[in-house]
C-alpha cells in the first residue's frame, strides 16, 4: 500500500519525426500537483487528449516526465524501472499475451518480477515440462508452486477457474478484462492504474464489472487511479474525482463536491448529465440577481459569496436541472416554451427556451407528466440552486468552511 504524489510534473512530447518544419512540441501536462491518499480510489476524467493516459503512463514508467517528480509511498520513482515501481496497469485494450493461457497470463508478472538462480531456473523448467504428466511423475519447484497457488487464488476471486486453460482468443470481452484485472492483482502491487478498462464492454457487462472493480478495490484497499469518460463511473466509483483539462488540474474533490460546487465553468459543464444550465445574469443590488426582466434572491453559500463580491456586475449563473421546476404561471416564475422532451423511463428531461432572453434550460420532470414540445410552461428556480461564476469562468469564492478536504479513512459511496 502506498500514497502517490505528483509534484510539479510536466510532460512535453517532442515533435513527431518526419512531420515537417511546422511540427511543434506538444505540452500535455503543466506543473501538475496531485496527491492520492493511501487506499484511495481516485477517478481521473477529462476530454479526449487532455493527458489522462499520459499521467498513468508517467506513473507506470512507460513515459519519462520532462519536469517534476512522482512519488510512490514517499519514494521518488522517476529513475526507477517500470518493473520495480510496484504499480500494475490495466488497459482498455486488455493487452493480454495471445500465445499464453489465461493461467500464464495471470502469472506473467509474478514470473517476471522474481529473480531466479540457475537451480531455480532448472527446477522451474523441469516442473513445467512435467505439468501434463500424472501427479506422481511431477517434479516439484517451490517457486512455481507458490506462483500456481497465487494464480488459483486470483482465479477464484475473479471467477476465472473454468477458463484457466483457455487462450485469450477463446474469451469474451468481459472475460478478457477479468483476466487483465487478474494479472494486475496477482502481484499485489501498491498501486493499480486503470485506463478506461470498461469502455470496450457492452452496457450490461460494464455495470457488473464496475461493481466488481469497486468491490475488489474496497476489499484489497489498494490505491487506485482510474481513468474514465463515463459519467456514471466517475460519479459512483471513486472517493474523489480529479478533472483534467488542457494540461491542468481543474478540480479535485468528492463526486458530490464537484457536482454541487464546481470550481469553474469547465467542471460545471463536464460533470453531470445533463450538464449544468448556464445563464448570463447581472447583479441587481440587495443580494439579488437579474435574469432578463426578473429578479431572484439566491440563498445559501451563493448568497454569502454574492454579499462579499466586489467584482464586475456581469456574472454567469449555473443551475442544475433539478433546481429548475415546472410551476404555476405567476409573475415570479419564468415563462418558457418546451423545445424537446426526452423520456428516460424514470424521469423526463425537458429542454425549454426562456421567453425572456432566448436561453435554453434543461430540467427534470416526473415521468407521468404529460408534456409536449411547443407547450408554454412556467419555471421556478430553487433559491439554493444558484451557482455563480465570474467573467473568467471561476466560481465565486464561497466562505472557507464550505470547502472540505477528505480526511481519515476513505469512505466508499454505496453501490
Ligand atoms: P487522453 O488519454 O486524455 O485522451 P493522452 O494522454 O493519450 O490523452 O494524450 C494527450 C496528448 O498527447 C494528445 O494530444 C496526444 O496526441 C499526445 N500524445 C500522446 N502520446 C504521444 C506521443 N508518444 N508522442 C507525441 N504526442 C503524444
Ligand atoms: Mg487515453
Amino acid at each position: 500500500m502506498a500514497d502517490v504524489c505528483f509534484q510539479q510534473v510536466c510532460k512535453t512530447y517532442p515533435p513527431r519525426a518526419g512531420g515537417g518544419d511546422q511540427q511543434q512540441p506538444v505540452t500535455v501536462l503543466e506543473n501538475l500537483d496531485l496527491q492520492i491518499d493511501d487506499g484511495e480510489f481516485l477517478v481521473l476524467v477529462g476530454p479526449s487528449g487532455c493527458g489522462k493516459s499520459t499521467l498513468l503512463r508517467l506513473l507506470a514508467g512507460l513515459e519519462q516526465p520532462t519536469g517534476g517528480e512522482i512519488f510512490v509511498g514517499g519514494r521518488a520513482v522517476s529513475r526507477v524501472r517500470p518493473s520495480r515501481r510496484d504499480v500494475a496497469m490495466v488497459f482498455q485494450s486488455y493487452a493480454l499475451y495471445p500465445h499464453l493461457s489465461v493461467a500464464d497470463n495471470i502469472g506473467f508478472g509474478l514470473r517476471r518480477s522474481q529473480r531466479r538462480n540457475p537451480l531455480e531456473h532448472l527446477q522451474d523448467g523441469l516442473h513445467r515440462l512435467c505439468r501434463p504428466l500424472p501427479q506422481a511423475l511431477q517434479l516439484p519447484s517451490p517457486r512455481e508452486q507458490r506462483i500456481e497457488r497465487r494464480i488459483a487464488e486470483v482465479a477464484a476471486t475473479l471467477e476465472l477457474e473454468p477458463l484457466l486453460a483457455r487462450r485469450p482468443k477463446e474469451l469474451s470481452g468481459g472475460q478478457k478484462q477479468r483476466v487483465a484485472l487478474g494479472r494486475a492483482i496477482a502481484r499485489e502491487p501498491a498501486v493499480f492504474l486503470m485506463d478506461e478498462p470498461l469502455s470496450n464492454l457492452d452496457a450490461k457487462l460494464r455495470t457488473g464489472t464496475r461493481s466488481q472493480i469497486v468491490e475488489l478495490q474496497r476489499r484489497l484497499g489498494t490505491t487506485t487511479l482510474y481513468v474514465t469518460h463515463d459519467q456514471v463511473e466517475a460519479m459512483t466509483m471513486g472517493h474523489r474525482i480529479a478533472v483534467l483539462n488542457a494540461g491542468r488540474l481543474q478540480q479535485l474533490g468528492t463526486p458530490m463536491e464537484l457536482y454541487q460546487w464546481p470550481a469553474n465553468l469547465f467542471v460545471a459543464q463536464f460533470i453531470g448529465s445533463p450538464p449544468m444550465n448556464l445563464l448570463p445574469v447581472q447583479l441587481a443590488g440587495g443580494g439579488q440577481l437579474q435574469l432578463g426582466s426578473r429578479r431572484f434572491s439566491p440563498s445559501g453559500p451563493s448568497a454569502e459569496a454574492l454579499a462579499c463580491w466586489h467584482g464586475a456586475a456581469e456574472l454567469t449563473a449555473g443551475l442544475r436541472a433539478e433546481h429548475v421546476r415546472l410551476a404555476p404561471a405567476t409573475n415570479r416564475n419564468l415563462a418558457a416554451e418546451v423545445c424537446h422532451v426526452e423520456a428516460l423511463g424514470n424521469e423526463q428531461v425537458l429542454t425549454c427556451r426562456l421567453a425572456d432572453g432566448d436561453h435554453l434550460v434543461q430540467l427534470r420532470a416526473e415521468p407521468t407528466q404529460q408534456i409536449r414540445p411547443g407547450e408554454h410552461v412556467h419555471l421556478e428556480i430553487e433559491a439554493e440552486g444558484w451557482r455563480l461564476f465570474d467573467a473568467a469562468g471561476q466560481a465565486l469564492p464561497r466562505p472557507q468552511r464550505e470547502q472540505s478536504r477528505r480526511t481519515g479513512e476513505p469512505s466508499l459511496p454505496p453501490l
Side-chain angles (χ1 to χ4, degrees), residues 80-238:
V80 179
R81 273 194 288 147
S83 58
R84 302 244 162 258
R85 289 195 183 191
D86 208 11
V87 303
M89 188 144 163
V90 179
F91 301 87
Q92 175 181 354
S93 57
Y94 320 128
L96 299 177
Y97 299 98
H99 57 289
L100 296 183
S101 67
V102 166
D104 287 342
N105 264 290
I106 294 175
F108 188 84
L110 293 173
R111 294 199 171 98
R112 279 287 292 268
S113 61
Q114 299 169 11
R115 290 238 174 87
R116 293 180 290 184
N117 60 36
L119 175 67
E120 283 179 325
H121 213 81
L122 187 67
Q123 271 180 333
D124 284 359
L126 291 172
H127 173 79
R128 286 167 73 86
L129 269 179
C130 301
R131 266 201 308 198
L133 303 178
Q135 190 78 42
L137 297 176
Q138 294 205 356
L139 293 171
S141 147
R143 180 177 174 276
E144 267 300 311
Q145 281 167 334
R146 251 194 338 268
I147 290 175
E148 281 165 20
R149 261 201 311 277
R150 180 70 189 137
I151 293 172
E153 275 168 26
V154 170
T157 307
L158 292 168
E159 293 163 32
L160 288 168
E161 288 126 319
L163 310 176
L164 281 173
R166 291 200 199 168
R167 297 283 154 104
K169 67 169 186 287
E170 299 162 318
L171 303 175
S172 70
Q175 290 168 335
K176 279 186 204 161
Q177 197 50 283
R178 292 218 306 281
V179 177
L181 271 176
R183 186 176 54 191
I185 68 174
R187 275 169 49 204
E188 302 178 79
V191 183
F192 286 143
L193 305 177
M194 305 198 190
D195 197 354
E196 310 201 24
L198 306 183
S199 47
N200 285 343
L201 305 184
D202 63 48
K204 186 157 180 282
L205 209 52
R206 261 172 112 129
T207 313
T209 317
R210 187 171 76 217
S211 356
Q212 213 171 14
I213 291 177
V214 172
E215 198 262 331
L216 198 66
Q217 197 273 340
R218 179 155 37 184
R219 189 146 44 86
L220 303 176
T222 309
T223 312
T224 300
L225 199 51
Y226 186 101
V227 169
T228 183
H229 61 258
D230 182 292
Q231 286 288 333
V232 180
E233 287 178 25
M235 287 302 290
T236 62
M237 291 181 84

Side-chain angles (χ1 to χ4, degrees), residues 287-289 296-300 302-304 306 382-388:
Q288 289 199 314
L289 294 172
F296 296 89
S297 299
S299 68
S302 288
E304 291 172 45
L306 211 50
E382 192 162 323
E384 289 266 352
W386 294 96
R387 301 292 179 264
L388 298 166

